[in-house]
Amino acid sequence: MTKILILGGTTEARALAEALSGRDDLAVTVSLAGRTASPVPHPVPVRTGGFGGAEGLAQYLAAERVALLVDATHPFAARISRHASMACAAAGVPILRLVRPEWVAGEGDRWTAVADGPAASAALGPAPRRVFLALGRQELAPFASAPQHRYVVRSIEPVDAAPFADAVFIRARGPFDVAAEERLFREHGIEVVVAKNSGGGASDAKLAAARRLGLPVVMIARPPPEGEAVADVATALAAIDRALRRETVSRF
Ligand code: NAP
């Protein structure tokens, strides 16, 4: 059987695993970093935890005789994507990157694009504001330098050590709907939303709610992409079959 390793942690990775799970010519494994305590179940075997850098991943690929790696990690998970490129080059394993398209501002949106967390924190300005932070618990540090604001932080995992005092913490996992997001923003008197440009449909309701309420959004841009990518599962499936056909031809 041909082995495929999907680096996951995203809706797309799970959807791809689902689409491949019925294939009896393939043995598909999804790899998770282990960040969330109770990840959403997958229809294929899952391995959890880091590989020990690019070298460790290259060793894993060789030891497990992986025929193809699909990097379907989150667009902001830059390190694992870099490691995946390096490991595949070292181990001679073809790589396919699956990444959802980014969000694009439309009519009525009031977005300020910034490069990273520190720039987002600075963009909030000196006057105190009520800020909705749609960021992970590991991305809050830059906001320690702007303690004048009142933060509402929503994350999947609990925040154990917040770098600012005045904050409300909400634990929730998407998908979210627009009416509920609007209610949440009104309830907390939110004046500005900070978001990462993750793309996809599971968490874009906050942007529609901000548009409806006329709220500004500080949008953190994606880190530079690691090579070419396909944008959806259907295109990934076709690319996987093409890549595996090429592999078969070169092996026999
Ligand atoms: P990262 O900074 O790019 O990676 C840090 C380290 O975590 C990597 O060097 C690797 O450790 C390990 N790692 C990351 N993804 C892994 C995977 N799928 N399988 C095995 N090991 C993995 O990653 P991150 O931003 O912390 O994201 C971690 C995971 O959460 C990813 O799977 C990503 O798809 C998912 N996720 C991330 C975000 C986000 O905004 N960053 C949002 C939603 C989901 P070693 O070097 O030891 O191999």
Side-chain angles (χ1 to χ4, degrees):
M1 281 227 277
T2 304
K3 288 193 176 177
I4 296 187
L5 177 68
I6 302 176
L7 300 178
T10 58
T11 314
E12 291 71 26
R14 211 167 51 248
L16 180 64
E18 176 85 51
L20 293 171
S21 63
R23 295 262 302 254
D24 49 18
D25 56 329
L26 302 177
V28 179
T29 300
V30 168
S31 174
L32 300 178
R35 297 280 190 279
T36 44
S38 44
V40 182
H42 285 70
V44 299
V46 170
R47 67 154 303 283
T48 304
F51 295 93
E55 214 170 286
L57 179 53
Q59 279 163 12
Y60 177 96
L61 295 174
E64 295 292 322
R65 298 174 177 273
V66 172
L68 172 71
L69 181 145
V70 182
D71 175 12
T73 56
H74 193 270
F76 280 80
R79 188 184 312 172
I80 186 69
S81 289
R82 199 166 55 250
H83 290 177
S85 297
M86 290 160 67
C88 284
V93 171
I95 181 168
L96 175 70
R97 175 126 175 87
L98 167 60
V99 64
R100 59 181 92 140
E102 46 185 15
W103 293 315
V104 177
E107 207 181 316
D109 283 324
R110 297 173 56 203
W111 294 8
T112 302
V114 296
D116 51 23
S121 173
L124 294 174
R129 299 165 94 184
R130 286 170 182 248
V131 183
F132 183 75
L133 289 186
L135 300 178
R137 60 183 167 161
Q138 284 153 342
E139 296 156 333
L140 305 179
F143 299 88
S145 59
Q148 71 276 27
H149 305 300
R150 175 149 208 268
Y151 295 100
V152 174
V153 182
R154 182 172 64 199
S155 56
I156 296 179
E157 293 296 313
V159 177
D160 14 67
F164 33 69
D166 195 1
V168 172
F169 296 98
I170 299 169
R171 264 184 88 183
R173 193 200 296 264
F176 302 101
D177 77 79
V178 182
E181 296 290 64
E182 216 178 311
R183 256 194 323 275
L184 181 75
F185 292 172
R186 283 187 196 281
E187 200 179 302
H188 291 278
I190 295 300
E191 295 167 288
V192 56
V193 173
V194 177
K196 293 187 300 185
N197 198 332
S198 297
S203 60
D204 60 352
K206 59 180 175 276
L207 305 175
R211 188 185 311 128
R212 281 197 195 175
L213 295 172
L215 297 180
V217 174
V218 177
M219 184 63 81
I220 303 173
R222 293 179 175 191
E226 192 64 45
E228 294 282 304
V230 297
D232 57 57
V233 170
T235 315
L237 288 171
I240 287 169
D241 278 329
R242 273 200 308 278
L244 292 179
R245 270 201 302 275
R246 271 201 302 275
E247 275 294 283
T248 311
V249 168
S250 65
R251 243 189 271 147
F252 297 102

